[in-house]
């Protein structure tokens, strides 16, 4: 049996809703073998980020080398990279192993406001990593930081997508979760020629911790299986929608989404004692 494999290079979320934990759960649910290279350990729960402990760039490189030189990966996802040393080291490894299916989630700020990327690292992201990316998945504030635009409407998002594409990224997905006045959420995909729009009703819940990580991980899993960018984005929209709709109501703050929900219809309901 041949199984598709995906590697996530990201931070650990002790609360299990975002970061490496969200990515591996999503890979597993979409039948992809998940592997990880941890960039930073966070002490985090639904109430916020209480500590950030970055690893050295060398520690990150050794984890990636261990995977690249043995098991290999069909697709790579990056999440929290924290500083420019880690970004440059990760970019070098992507080139070294000739990885072309690279999905960059440009994680900058956690929901509670904690910084997951140093300000000085934004240029490294633009100059080193984005030119290697098959897909980049910013939310609206991240697209604003990367492009310098003030994004107020869909036209602005289209302009931002074109600018991001000009940085060398082949496909741009700008997520619509942060357009807080919109009841219809629009995730926009730009492939350098055409725009596609994935629209869904906003679900009213505070349990949206890790939606961005989960969404990009679902795209990565589908791309690892050889699916098209459009199909992968469409599946990711469906996956995150179910995960938000069937939230687990854990913790006192912004709880995680439900990574089982998308497959639950096929498997039947969970047996909870
Ligand atoms: N309340 C909601 N109802 C339905 N879908 C949502 C909601 N919030 C986010 N989404 C969807 O979840 C995905 C992630 O979007 P969002 O813009 O929130 O990303 P993000 O800000 O990176 O996530 P995070 O807040 O975890 O960092 C998108 O597909 C978006 O449409
Ligand atoms: C380790 C890690 N990576 C990414 C996020 C972003 O997720 P969110 O914006 O939902 O907090 C996070 N909180 N923690």
């Amino acid at each position: 049996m041949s199984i598709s494999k995906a590697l996530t290079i990201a931070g650990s979320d002790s609360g299990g809703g975002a970061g490496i934990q969200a990515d591996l759960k999503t890979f597993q649910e979409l039948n992809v073998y998940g592997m990880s290279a941890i960039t930073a350990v966070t002490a985090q729960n639904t109430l916020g980020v209480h500590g950030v402990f970055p690893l050295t760039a060398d520690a990150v490189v050794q984890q990636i080398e261990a995977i690249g030189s043995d098991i290999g990966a069909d697709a790579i996802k990056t999440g929290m990279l924290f500083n420019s040393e880690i970004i440059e080291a990760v970019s070098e490894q992507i080139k070294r192993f000739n990885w072309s299916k690279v999905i960059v989630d440009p994680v900058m700020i956690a929901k509670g406001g904690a910084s997951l990327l140093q300000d000085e690292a934004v240029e490294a992201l633009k100059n080193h990593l984005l030119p290697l990316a098959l897909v980049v998945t910013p939310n609206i504030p991240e697209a604003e930081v990367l492009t310098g635009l003030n994004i107020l409407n869909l036209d602005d998002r289209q302009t931002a997508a074109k600018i991001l594409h000009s940085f060398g990224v082949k496909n741009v997905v700008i997520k619509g979760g942060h357009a807080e006045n919109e009841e219809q959420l629009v995730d926009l995909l730009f492939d350098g020629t055409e725009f596609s729009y994935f629209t869904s009703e906003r679900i009213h819940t505070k349990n949206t911790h890790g939606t961005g990580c989960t969404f990009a991980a679902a795209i990565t899993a589908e791309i690892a299986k050889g699916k098209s960018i459009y199909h992968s984005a469409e599946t990711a929209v469906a996956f995150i929608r179910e995960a938000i709709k069937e939230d687990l109501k854990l913790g006192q703050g912004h709880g995680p989404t439900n990574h089982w929900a998308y497959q639950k219809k096929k498997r039947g309901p969970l047996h909870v004692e």
Side-chain angles (χ1 to χ4, degrees):
M1 184 183 87
S2 141
I3 181 102
S4 301
K5 300 159 292 191
L7 164 64
T8 169
I9 305 171
S12 164
D13 168 9
S14 52
I20 289 279
Q21 288 79 359
D23 295 345
L24 292 177
K25 290 172 191 179
T26 305
F27 294 163
Q28 182 81 10
E29 287 299 303
L30 291 171
N31 302 319
V32 167
Y33 180 75
M35 297 166 287
S36 63
I38 295 183
T39 56
V41 172
T42 70
Q44 195 173 170
N45 57 21
T46 66
L47 297 170
V49 178
H50 308 290
V52 175
F53 307 93
L55 270 68
T56 61
D58 189 44
V60 178
V61 167
Q62 285 198 36
Q63 295 173 78
I64 299 171
E65 276 176 340
I67 293 156
S69 62
D70 179 27
I71 303 169
D74 299 302
I76 316 294
K77 171 185 181 284
T78 68
M80 172 187 180
L81 296 175
F82 194 64
N83 62 32
S84 52
E85 289 78 38
I86 295 177
I87 292 173
E88 286 174 32
V90 167
S91 305
E92 281 310 307
Q93 293 306 309
I94 288 171
K95 285 193 269 187
R96 174 182 165 197
F97 289 109
N98 256 325
W99 283 323
S100 58
K101 294 182 175 179
V102 178
I103 292 78
V104 174
D105 185 19
V107 171
M108 294 183 187
I109 296 172
K111 203 141 275 156
S115 175
L116 303 178
L117 182 76
Q118 293 180 344
D119 291 345
E120 53 85 21
V122 172
E123 284 309 305
L125 197 61
K126 276 158 72 168
N127 296 333
H128 296 281
L129 194 54
L130 290 191
L132 305 175
L134 177 63
V135 186
V136 66
T137 61
N139 60 28
I140 292 172
E142 290 158 354
E144 289 184 322
V145 171
L146 290 169
T147 61
L149 290 180
N150 186 16
I151 300 177
L152 300 173
N153 53 41
L154 203 54
D155 281 353
D156 297 337
R157 277 188 240 172
Q158 290 175 336
T159 309
K162 286 181 183 164
I163 294 173
L164 287 165
H165 186 262
S166 76
F167 296 159
V169 188
K170 295 181 187 61
N171 299 274
V172 178
V173 177
I174 301 186
K175 298 168 293 187
H178 286 251
E180 269 148 27
N181 50 349
E182 289 174 16
E183 280 303 304
Q184 286 282 336
L185 296 184
V186 182
D187 297 325
L188 169 159
L189 165 65
F190 181 56
D191 66 3
T193 312
E194 279 181 37
F195 287 97
S196 309
Y197 305 92
F198 302 95
T199 324
S200 60
E201 287 289 311
R202 178 178 293 281
I203 300 159
H204 291 277
T205 170
K206 65 181 171 69
N207 298 327
T208 55
H209 174 60
T211 52
C213 303
T214 302
F215 177 78
I219 294 186
T220 306
E222 292 304 294
I223 287 176
K225 290 188 272 191
K227 300 289 165 51
S228 71
I229 307 288
Y230 184 90
H231 167 96
S232 302
E234 197 175 35
T235 301
V237 169
F239 190 98
I240 194 62
R241 205 183 151 71
E242 288 304 313
I244 297 171
K245 204 164 74 187
E246 306 269 328
D247 60 355
L248 296 166
K249 300 179 177 55
L250 297 177
Q252 302 156 60
H254 292 289
T257 67
N258 180 347
H259 293 92
W260 286 291
Y262 179 74
Q263 295 291 8
K264 197 177 82 178
K265 287 190 188 115
K266 287 185 204 159
R267 282 194 200 139
L270 279 176
H271 179 69
V272 181
E273 294 286 333

